[in-house]
Amino acid sequence: MPGGGAPGLRCCDSIFQLSIVHYQLSIVTKYSIGIDLGTTNSVVAYCALDAEHPTLTLLPIPQLTAPSTVEARTQLPSYLYVATDAERAAGQFDLPDAAAREFAVGEA
């Protein structure tokens, strides 16, 4: 390197200066998202920001609604149910991707 110095440095009036390259990251926001963590129920809502007349939409959340039944609902109860030994043994909280569960979050 002319004038000595390390890579990334240049000699200018006998003073080494670090050459820094700045990159600009452009992120386009497409949705506004709101989360209500209530004491009884929780809700997630969203709306598209590029719509001429933005409409608020509730996000369907898959949850346990009956023994071994999962359905999407727009409200998620804000509680956790811990199964009894009999319920666990009967497989009432088993889900397609999780067998032998001991708890449930969902609609009562």
Side-chain angles (χ1 to χ4, degrees):
M1 178 171 204
L9 297 177
R10 61 191 172 107
C11 182
C12 182
D13 296 330
S14 302
I15 299 173
F16 289 104
Q17 296 179 346
L18 180 61
S19 298
I20 301 173
V21 179
H22 295 280
Y23 293 96
Q24 183 177 358
L25 180 61
S26 177
I27 299 174
V28 177
T29 303
K30 294 183 180 185
Y31 295 94
S32 178
I33 300 172
I35 302 172
D36 177 6
L37 300 174
T39 56
T40 304
N41 291 293
S42 295
V43 175
V44 177
Y46 65 94
C47 70
L49 296 175
D50 61 354
E52 186 174 329
H53 301 287
T55 303
L56 188 64
T57 304
L58 297 179
L59 182 70
I61 304 168
Q63 55 191 286
L64 193 64
T65 57
S68 300
T69 304
V70 176
E71 296 177 347
R73 302 288 169 91
T74 56
Q75 294 184 1
L76 179 67
S78 301
Y79 67 87
L80 175 71
Y81 179 82
V82 180
T84 65
D85 290 339
E87 290 169 326
R88 187 177 60 251
Q92 291 187 8
F93 296 98
D94 289 356
L95 299 175
D97 60 344
R101 291 178 51 134
E102 298 180 2
F103 65 92
V105 177
E107 185 175 286

